[in-house]
Amino acid sequence: MKTKLISTTLLLLLATPSCYAHGYTLAIANGIIAILIIIVIVLVVLGAYSIYYNRIISRRNEQMQRILTVLNEYRELVGNSALTLDEQETLMKKKLQMSKKPQVVQKDEKQSFSVMMDARVNKERPFTNPDFDHDALVQFMGVDNETFCKLVPRYKEPDRTLDYINSLRAEYAAKCLMEHSDYSADELAHKCGFRDTASYISAFKFAFGITPAEYLNSMSKMFKKKLREDV
């Protein structure tokens, strides 16, 4: 980009004497110079946007990695069936005090059911079955549909439930990409429960704002940068 910009700028500086040397009229010379100026402006804008976009993607991936780490720790805690809810709450408070991050812990029935559902689904991963949908989730949690909708009202509509399930699939795909970067898109789609590659890419982009290929590329750059910093 820099080379093209410098080349175009030099060409712009040489345009006026060159036009006069070739005997172009003033109108033609001005037209050529105007075109070159537009090209320079476009290159500058594209260069600035490229830098801005790369910074956004980098920050987003760093934030996504932190979120995945926190989610893993949280789900390992609430997914421990050997602990009661009170014991889980006590451990959560201790963990939050250590990290100095205040958080209100709710104990109402809806919150408890939602947390337990999220923990169980992520632990057992029934969503890797492409047929896992709203009805399957209700059955998985061992309640009837009416009770489920009361406990998790935001998932009354099957489409909303499917968005939740696909977000879990996308999150699982992100973890798999971090551990197995050599997996193809088709392999990941099948492994995570998507019916086809297009659905996998669409759900991943909806969840994280970037495609799996962009995510993998960003992770690779971050890994190489960390290696250089460690050295």
Side-chain angles (χ1 to χ4, degrees), residues 177-192:
L177 276 174
M178 293 176 67
E179 298 172 359
H180 306 282
S181 58
D182 57 333
Y183 277 6
S184 68
D186 289 340
E187 289 174 328
L188 272 174
H190 177 74
K191 181 179 179 66
C192 299

Side-chain angles (χ1 to χ4, degrees), residues 3 29 50 60 70 89 117 128 131 156 195 209 226:
T3 304
S50 177
R60 180 180 293 166
V70 172
E89 180 180 343
M117 178 181 71
T128 54
D131 294 326
K156 285 183 179 180
R195 294 191 180 279
K226 181 173 178 58

Side-chain angles (χ1 to χ4, degrees), residues 7-40:
S7 301
T8 307
T9 304
L10 291 175
L11 184 60
L12 178 60
L13 294 174
L14 296 174
T16 300
S18 177
C19 288
Y20 287 129
H22 286 79
Y24 293 146
T25 64
L26 182 60
I28 295 176
N30 288 339
I32 294 175
I33 294 173
I35 292 173
L36 291 175
I37 290 175
I38 292 173
I39 293 175
V40 171

